[in-house]
Amino acid sequence: MDQLAIITPSYMRPVELARLDLSLEENTRVSLLVQKEFVEPRSLVELLNEMTEEAFQIGASHVAYLSDLCVVTEENFDTRLMDVFKQSGADFVDLPIRNQPNAKAGCFWAVTKKFWLDLECTIQCPDYYHFYADTETAMYAQESGRYAVASNLGVELHHVNTGLAKPDQTHSASRSHKKWDDEVWRERQAREFLWGRSFRLVRKGDKPWHS
């Protein structure tokens, strides 16, 4: 039986997380919620990989990734998302940001368990701390023909970039290793590495956030 889990990492945003949870309660019937507080010395990527494994272990067949700054405003969000998977045959479904239509692909998305297994049970590249890892996964889904967009479905984002939030401690923390991620992205692009096409890393050993 198909079952959707919604994964949300959070950090010092209890009010925003409660707002998301209320919107999920009002617009979905999802019973599997995997929510964890981000704590150093893990990276966001490490946390998301851990949460994804947990979601599939407790019985999910599909997982969707949302931020604690997201709000779900559309009725039957979960049912309609599962319909996109069934109708498209895709293993990766991109969720548009309704109030930021020009946002890059791969900000928020959902995947099947098969897609996760094919990525060796590591949904995002461990080279990264925060940025670009989601982009690489989306790029691989597009390249491999397993990608679809939920064009009639999406989320609302209360973020600095949409003008609905101000910079906070969470926003600052997410950028603490932006330089590292920028350098890793350039290295991986230069070597034509793409997570999913291969599982090669450019930065082995300890990461700066582990020290």
Side-chain angles (χ1 to χ4, degrees):
M1 179 180 176
D2 288 342
Q3 193 165 15
L4 175 69
I6 293 181
I7 289 177
T8 310
S10 189
Y11 179 62
M12 299 178 68
R13 286 177 174 159
V15 173
E16 292 85 351
L17 186 61
R19 179 182 61 201
L20 169 63
D21 288 347
L22 179 60
S23 74
L24 291 171
E25 183 179 336
E26 292 175 342
N27 294 296
T28 76
R29 293 184 179 180
V30 172
S31 59
L32 296 180
L33 296 178
V34 181
Q35 299 178 335
K36 288 190 177 182
E37 183 78 2
F38 172 80
V39 179
E40 293 276 15
R42 289 181 298 181
S43 67
L44 177 63
V45 171
E46 290 166 339
L47 179 60
L48 284 172
N49 286 334
E50 175 187 296
M51 295 170 75
T52 303
E53 181 175 4
E54 180 178 327
F56 286 126
Q57 285 180 343
I58 61 177
S61 59
H62 300 68
V63 298
Y65 301 88
L66 298 181
S67 162
D68 51 16
L69 296 180
C70 287
V71 176
V72 172
T73 60
E74 302 178 39
E75 293 183 356
N76 302 314
F77 175 87
D78 51 331
T79 303
R80 293 166 63 190
L81 175 56
M82 297 301 283
D83 285 344
V84 176
F85 277 106
K86 293 173 184 175
Q87 293 166 11
S88 67
D91 286 309
F92 181 112
V93 172
D94 217 334
L95 294 167
I97 301 173
R98 289 299 191 204
N99 56 329
Q100 194 181 13
N102 296 324
K104 67 178 178 67
C107 290
F108 304 111
W109 32 269
V111 299
T112 63
K113 185 174 183 178
K114 183 179 186 306
F115 188 80
W116 172 71
L117 290 171
D118 290 347
L119 266 68
E120 299 189 346
C121 302
T122 307
I123 199 67
Q124 292 191 2
C125 174
D127 264 337
Y128 296 105
Y129 177 79
H130 176 87
F131 296 92
Y132 307 110
D134 52 355
T135 302
E136 274 205 36
T137 303
M139 289 170 63
Y140 169 69
Q142 292 172 315
E143 180 185 272
S144 60
R146 305 169 74 174
Y147 176 93
V149 178
S151 55
N152 295 319
L153 192 63
V155 296
E156 185 177 281
L157 183 62
H158 290 237
H159 190 272
V160 174
N161 292 343
T162 62
L164 295 178
K166 296 180 179 180
D168 58 13
Q169 288 177 286
T170 307
H171 182 262
S172 298
S174 72
R175 303 186 67 82
S176 59
H177 296 287
K178 180 65 164 56
K179 182 179 178 181
W180 168 279
D181 284 347
D182 288 342
E183 292 174 352
V184 166
W185 169 256
R186 288 192 291 269
E187 283 186 53
R188 292 183 61 80
Q189 289 288 290
R191 298 188 191 186
E192 298 185 350
F193 287 178
L194 184 66
W195 193 252
R197 185 200 300 149
S198 75
F199 300 97
R200 300 174 69 182
L201 301 173
V202 297
R203 298 290 183 94
K204 297 179 181 179
D206 287 341
K207 306 295 193 297
W209 50 90
H210 292 155
S211 58

